[in-house]
Amino acid sequence: MIKKRFQVKGMHCVGCTMAVEGAIERLPGVRSAAANYAREYADVEYDEQKVNEAQIAEMVALAGYELVLPEQA
Amino acid sequence: MNLWAIFLTGLTTGGITCLAIQGGLLATAMTKQVEVPLKGRKRKGQTVTAIQVTRDMGPVLYFLAAKLLAYIVLGLLLGALGEVVQITPGVQAAMQIFAGLFLLATALNMLNVHPIFRYVAIQPPRFLTRMVRNQATSESLFAPLLLGAMTVLIPCGTTQAMMVLAISSGSALLGALIMGVFILGTAPTFAVLGFAATKLGTGSLRKTFATAAALLIVVLGFWSLDAGLKLSGAPFAPSRLLAGLFAQPEVQIAEATVVGDRQELTITVDDRGYHPNIAYVRGDLPVRLWMETNGTFSCARAFSVPSLNIMQVLPDSGRTAVDLPALGSGSLRYMCSMGMFEGVLVVKQQEVSLND
């Protein structure tokens, strides 16, 4: 289980943080997600064996936001 | 206490000013709340049905119900507070200046001017957002509930005036009634806009809507800041600087009448302000102002004389005496507690007074 911080773009209100967190936590292998609107990031705690960064980014994209992967940053 | 008048204030002025401040922000937030769950469930080729429209109205109703409840609680607290303390013009000025700065920062955030303004948005505590996500079916409803309740944190000018009314009622029950009736009055405007916002989508229309709302908030922010500066007696309030450049549109001049050992002046208070707004008085006699209201519902009813720390809420119809000490020399400004309407008493040199 590891914890990583990702930059999240496109959150234009505090309600968006709930949508981002909800989207990430739907993934099996994710223990928790905590998004911050003001600083535009999401802290994700997940099991690397069950889920990867690309899958997390894809789930966030489905919810209408952009999670920036370390190699894109 | 005329509750019907308060309801009408909410329905007219309150609905519009509150909408500009809270509606713009919260309807935008609600748009997203409705969209996210829909996206997840939408199947290929699915069209918007009547059931979906009914469901979309849900967030708006939840938002309004929570808002109403929150303001009733706020009114209850303010009324109770009114039994203990009185809001002075100084406190009112500080509240206005803070509200003005908050509004400007909010607008700058909506316009994406700089990331620093993102900090003005108040994020609900973690345990609440967790509650939302744990109840998957209520995901689109719980957030509007929260946002509705959170509107107490960003009251508009008219709401602030009602809050002052609630405090001045000096009763928890009356305070709750005042705020409840007022918010009920603003509900129809909010319901219409809130529903419209859920239909705007994420395209350019929503962006245009957010920009328009932000610009309106800029105007209201400056207005609130200006009112706060005027109330605090600052000579550099923008409207005063402008007034120095352009002539006042409507000036009515009168003179106080000496009655026994004091002078009296009748000021008519209507929805457009104070008449007269310039009055000459003697400096050596106390002044009794007779404030006359007749079906007056504007904030002009919240009469204040900042430099004397006087703040009095006038009845919507009636004649109220406000006693001032002898002014000595110079001038004395009076205004509504929002700083929107104002007037001035000017001490006249005794040898030219008509009453001598």
Side-chain angles (χ1 to χ4, degrees):
Chain A
M1 197 68 73
I2 59 160
K3 191 171 182 177
K4 269 196 179 176
R5 176 165 294 184
F6 300 96
Q7 190 193 350
V8 178
K9 291 181 182 173
M11 293 191 287
H12 57 75
C13 64
V14 290
C16 296
T17 59
M18 288 189 256
V20 169
E21 290 168 358
I24 299 174
E25 288 191 355
R26 256 178 239 144
L27 280 168
V30 171
R31 181 192 272 182
S32 73
N36 185 300
Y37 164 74
R39 295 169 66 187
E40 299 187 271
Y41 69 71
D43 281 332
V44 187
E45 198 178 358
Y46 63 100
D47 186 343
E48 282 179 298
Q49 308 298 318
K50 293 181 182 164
V51 64
N52 59 41
E53 290 176 355
Q55 288 169 307
I56 296 171
E58 197 187 328
M59 204 64 186
V60 172
L62 273 174
Y65 307 92
E66 184 192 350
L67 183 139
V68 183
L69 293 173
E71 60 264 28
Q72 296 172 322
Chain B
M1 190 66 62
N2 191 340
L3 290 173
W4 179 239
I6 292 172
F7 178 80
L8 283 179
T9 308
L11 195 65
T12 54
T13 337
I16 294 159
T17 55
C18 293
L19 192 63
I21 294 176
Q22 304 167 347
L25 303 175
L26 303 173
T28 310
M30 275 166 19
T31 311
K32 210 70 201 173
Q33 289 309 312
V34 176
E35 271 169 13
V36 170
L38 281 183
K39 263 184 190 169
R41 290 176 208 141
K42 210 162 185 173
R43 297 283 176 270
K44 216 175 179 180
Q46 188 181 338
T47 51
V48 175
T49 62
I51 297 163
Q52 195 172 312
V53 171
T54 316
R55 194 177 60 207
D56 288 355
M57 201 60 202
V60 182
L61 297 177
Y62 275 71
F63 172 84
L64 290 175
K67 183 181 170 189
L68 179 64
L69 194 70
Y71 272 95
I72 287 175
V73 172
L74 180 73
L76 204 76
L77 295 173
L78 291 177
L81 185 73
E83 293 173 31
V84 192
V85 289
Q86 282 290 317
I87 283 199
T88 64
V91 172
Q92 179 85 18
M95 273 168 65
Q96 289 273 32
I97 291 170
F98 173 78
L101 293 175
F102 182 83
L103 290 174
L104 288 178
T106 301
L108 292 173
N109 180 30
M110 287 173 78
L111 294 168
N112 279 326
V113 173
H114 190 278
I116 197 156
F117 296 113
R118 295 176 78 89
Y119 288 93
V120 294
I122 300 151
Q123 190 161 346
R126 282 279 294 155
F127 77 93
L128 284 176
T129 55
R130 191 155 285 280
M131 266 170 73
V132 176
R133 295 201 312 279
N134 287 347
Q135 300 170 13
T137 48
S138 63
E139 186 167 348
S140 63
L141 300 178
F142 193 83
L145 263 180
L146 238 157
L147 292 166
M150 276 165 64
T151 54
V152 292
L153 300 172
I154 44 169
C156 69
T158 320
T159 309
Q160 284 176 28
M162 290 298 144
M163 285 161 70
V164 172
L165 254 182
I167 292 174
S168 63
S169 73
S171 141
L173 187 69
L174 260 181
L177 257 174
I178 290 169
M179 294 315 296
V181 167
F182 172 71
I183 296 301
L184 264 183
T186 64
T189 318
F190 267 83
V192 171
L193 183 109
F195 183 68
T198 64
K199 299 282 110 197
L200 288 175
T202 51
S204 58
L205 193 61
R206 197 203 68 80
K207 231 174 208 167
T208 311
F209 172 77
T211 309
L215 292 176
L216 204 55
I217 290 168
V218 168
V219 173
L220 286 161
F222 271 116
W223 189 15
S224 181
L225 204 59
D226 180 62
L229 287 171
K230 275 204 285 192
L231 271 174
S232 66
F236 50 82
S239 66
R240 283 210 181 129
L241 296 177
L242 282 174
L245 295 172
F246 306 101
Q248 287 278 356
E250 194 183 349
V251 176
Q252 291 179 332
I253 303 172
E255 183 157 343
T257 318
V258 176
V259 180
D261 57 354
R262 64 164 184 250
Q263 48 194 333
E264 295 191 352
L265 175 72
T266 299
I267 297 176
T268 307
V269 184
D270 63 23
D271 293 343
R272 292 167 61 208
Y274 303 105
H275 316 280
N277 49 12
I278 296 177
Y280 291 107
V281 295
R282 280 171 57 154
D284 58 343
L285 291 176
V287 186
R288 170 164 287 183
L289 298 178
W290 285 106
M291 308 303 292
E292 279 189 356
T293 46
N294 187 12
T296 308
F297 304 125
S298 73
C299 63
R301 276 175 57 199
F303 179 73
S304 74
V305 185
S307 60
L308 294 177
N309 232 13
I310 290 172
M311 165 85 94
Q312 191 156 351
V313 178
L314 309 171
D316 52 82
S317 295
R319 192 169 151 85
T320 313
V322 178
D323 286 317
L324 310 176
L327 302 181
S329 59
S331 62
L332 183 78
R333 284 188 180 274
Y334 54 88
M335 58 191 74
C336 73
S337 67
M338 309 305 299
M340 276 170 63
F341 306 114
E342 64 177 332
V344 63
L345 298 179
V346 182
V347 175
K348 204 169 183 180
Q349 297 299 320
Q350 225 155 313
E351 58 270 21
V352 293
S353 172
L354 297 174
N355 294 311
D356 277 345

